[in-house]
Amino acid sequence: MLTIEVEFLLGRCYATDVTRRDEAEWPPHPARLFSALVNAVFDSPPESEASSIEIEALHFLEALDPPVIEASSATHRDVKVHFVPVNDTPKGADFHRVLPELRTRKERYFPSVTPENPMVRYGWPAAQPEARVAAALAVMSARIAYLGHSSSLVRVSVSDVGTRPSLVPTPGGSLILRVAGKGQLDALRHAWQVHRGTRTRTLPSRHVAYASPEPQPAVIPSGYFSDRWLVLRTVHSSGNRPLSIKSATVLTKALRDALLAALGRPSSPAISGHEADGSPSQSPHLAFIALPDVGHMHAHAGILGLALVSPVNLPADDERRLRQAVQSISRLYWSGGEIHVENLTERQERATLRSATWCRPSRAWATVTPFVFDRFPKSGRWGAEAESLVIAACAYAGLPKPRRVALVRISPVLGVPPVADFPLWVRKANAPARLQSHVVLEFDEPIAGPVLIGAGRFFGYGLCRPVRNLFAEDEDEG
């Protein structure tokens, strides 16, 4: 068996996903390791002096089957845009252009991950290299100083420690990794002759599907909305109390106005919720929610933050523009008021400001802002028809059919005001108000949030929170 282990000496890996500049690659793909070995062979001595046994070792490695990989889970750092002065100066350009303040600045990202274990092992269980090939691989590995970005310092070595694979090549696997294949060395050398390291380049590789060797846990159902939120904290002076959750739609509409102003040009339907002709989009789009202090004995229902909740399949370009626009928002205005907000990029101690609080899997959910009916049920708020409208609203949001529905005036979530205390939802000026109610849902199996349902879901009405199963006591009696 052949094992090559990579230890990230600073406990962090900087390696950009080749398909997205603002995403980090984890674990580092086997093709990246192979390229680092090629660099170790040809970068140190002149190419003509590269050891024949080292080249033989590279040919040996590229001919092997894709390796198994042992890598821990990792935390992805929130990525911010940096505008970095360009070092290269065009030939014949004014030499003053090399001064930092006069250089052209380009948009750059520095995505990284922090693995739970800084050691990654690549294993070829069936490989039996000759002693001289194994020795050459050991020497080449020891020359590698970084993997990915030059700040991603590593120690690389050939090891006699076996792997405990967390990823193995699997037809139909969900994770696609770049790996070396036969002819990889020649392809890399040809690519070098073309770009010489100075042009945008795509390194040759082949793609192989990987998956965990362990049985995969069942996929937890969820709706159309993503659990990756952009969160803004509301900033209040020491003498001001947070606005009540009853003001939720005032703030969410102000946030949408500020976002569209920051974007500065027509937005895609996935962000604006409208097609190019101004008609409402029929596809899932961005929602705005208020995050109240609720769910505990001393909850005051004040709004501690706001979140932008995107659909799960938001295009990468839209997501990038969205992040940039949100970073410029520091104040929200509405008729008769304003409030300061600040972007949150680090994990928050306040549970209210963490998406996990609102998205953890649960069988039972209850509203913290009223559910708004799409139409008025003829039999009234408490009948079977009203319950069927709630079930239909779950389907509209991409959720499974609830097993049970309860329409209530008071939410079981501590601190939430009664439904009668909330302003009525009015979609357009001079339009009639919609019927609204608090709702409790029970599903056959746990579902993951966010759960946003009803006609007001894109502006924060119909926001649910996981609760204990309030229906279980009925089943347990007797």
Side-chain angles (χ1 to χ4, degrees):
M1 178 174 183
L2 171 64
T3 301
I4 297 179
E5 63 180 28
V6 178
E7 180 182 9
F8 290 88
L9 300 178
L10 301 181
R12 188 183 289 272
C13 172
Y14 291 85
T16 301
D17 189 310
V18 295
T19 62
R20 291 191 57 175
R21 293 184 302 154
D22 58 345
E23 290 284 347
E25 177 181 283
W26 184 260
H29 294 190
R32 188 183 291 275
L33 175 63
F34 185 84
S35 294
L37 288 166
V38 172
N39 184 68
V41 171
F42 291 101
D43 190 50
S44 298
E47 181 175 340
S48 60
E49 298 179 14
S51 166
S52 61
I53 184 58
E54 291 179 344
I55 293 179
E56 181 182 343
L58 290 172
H59 284 304
F60 168 82
L61 194 61
E62 71 178 11
L64 297 176
D65 290 334
V68 298
I69 302 173
E70 178 185 342
S72 68
S73 59
T75 302
H76 288 250
R77 186 179 70 171
D78 289 332
V79 178
K80 294 185 177 181
V81 182
H82 299 266
F83 291 89
V84 179
V86 178
N87 290 324
D88 300 329
T89 302
K91 204 168 187 180
D94 187 347
F95 72 91
H96 290 100
R97 303 296 296 176
V98 301
L99 297 175
E101 62 270 20
L102 297 179
R103 290 186 206 164
T104 302
R105 285 170 168 77
K106 288 191 175 181
E107 185 181 77
R108 292 285 304 276
Y109 301 87
F110 299 95
S112 70
V113 298
T114 302
E116 292 182 5
N117 184 342
M119 188 76 74
V120 179
R121 293 186 175 91
Y122 301 84
W124 292 264
Q128 296 293 335
E130 297 179 14
R132 64 195 190 100
V133 171
L137 286 171
V139 171
M140 295 151 53
S141 299
R143 293 190 198 136
I144 299 175
Y146 63 89
L147 191 63
H149 192 270
S150 58
S151 62
S152 198
L153 303 180
V154 295
R155 176 190 64 81
V156 183
S157 63
V158 174
S159 171
D160 55 3
V161 176
T163 59
R164 300 177 61 184
S166 56
L167 291 170
V168 297
T170 305
S174 60
L175 183 62
I176 306 300
L177 303 185
R178 295 174 297 116
V179 303
K182 197 165 184 178
Q184 178 82 352
L185 175 59
D186 293 339
L188 287 171
R189 296 175 74 176
H190 174 73
W192 167 256
Q193 295 301 326
V194 174
H195 60 69
R196 304 299 295 183
T198 60
R199 294 171 52 191
T200 301
R201 54 198 182 274
T202 300
L203 296 181
S205 62
R206 63 191 182 107
H207 296 81
V208 172
Y210 276 75
S212 169
E214 302 297 329
Q216 294 297 303
V219 176
I220 299 175
S222 60
Y224 293 143
F225 292 107
S226 169
D227 61 356
R228 296 177 60 185
W229 297 357
L230 296 176
V231 178
L232 297 167
R233 184 173 73 90
T234 54
V235 181
H236 303 274
S237 63
S238 58
N240 295 335
R241 289 182 59 83
L243 292 173
S244 168
I245 186 57
K246 292 179 283 187
S247 301
T249 58
V250 172
L251 291 184
T252 55
K253 290 177 180 178
L255 177 57
R256 181 181 185 273
D257 291 344
L259 175 69
L260 296 182
L263 289 169
R265 59 185 175 88
S267 301
S268 74
I271 291 179
S272 68
H274 289 86
E275 302 294 342
D277 61 2
S279 62
S281 173
Q282 300 303 309
S283 301
H285 56 84
L286 188 67
F288 305 84
I289 61 175
L291 302 175
D293 177 40
V294 294
H296 60 91
M297 289 294 296
H298 303 288
H300 53 67
I303 297 173
L304 303 182
L306 299 163
L308 292 83
V309 183
S310 60
V312 290
N313 295 321
L314 184 69
D317 185 58
D318 283 342
E319 183 177 354
R320 178 184 60 80
R321 292 187 61 227
L322 191 61
R323 288 182 177 275
Q324 291 177 345
V326 170
Q327 289 172 0
S328 68
I329 299 174
S330 61
R331 189 175 297 185
L332 304 178
Y333 300 92
W334 65 94
S335 176
E338 65 176 270
I339 194 171
H340 293 267
V341 294
E342 63 181 17
N343 282 261
L344 296 184
T345 57
E346 303 294 336
R347 177 180 170 83
Q348 292 300 303
E349 293 302 321
R350 297 298 296 262
T352 294
L353 299 180
R354 298 200 299 264
S355 64
T357 300
W358 304 87
C359 298
R360 66 174 176 82
S362 175
R363 286 183 61 200
W365 296 77
T367 52
V368 298
T369 52
F371 169 83
V372 180
F373 287 86
D374 286 319
R375 61 178 176 82
F376 200 96
K378 296 178 181 178
S379 58
R381 182 187 304 179
W382 314 115
E385 182 187 5
E387 293 180 4
S388 69
L389 292 176
V390 175
I391 293 173
C394 290
Y396 295 152
L399 298 167
K401 180 180 178 180
R403 178 185 179 189
R404 295 188 186 180
V405 172
L407 298 163
V408 294
R409 291 186 175 91
I410 299 176
S411 171
V413 180
L414 293 174
V416 174
V419 67
D421 290 356
F422 284 86
L424 293 175
W425 173 262
V426 178
R427 185 167 176 263
K428 294 181 179 179
N430 301 321
R434 303 288 185 94
L435 181 67
Q436 54 198 44
S437 174
H438 278 308
V439 171
V440 181
L441 306 171
E442 181 196 13
F443 295 89
D444 287 323
E445 58 183 332
I447 67 165
V451 173
L452 273 166
I453 56 175
R457 64 190 179 278
F458 295 108
F459 287 96
Y461 265 24
L463 172 64
C464 297
R465 182 162 168 149
V467 294
R468 71 181 182 87
N469 190 351
L470 302 177
F471 300 97
E473 295 178 357
D474 296 336
E475 298 175 344
D476 293 342
E477 289 180 355

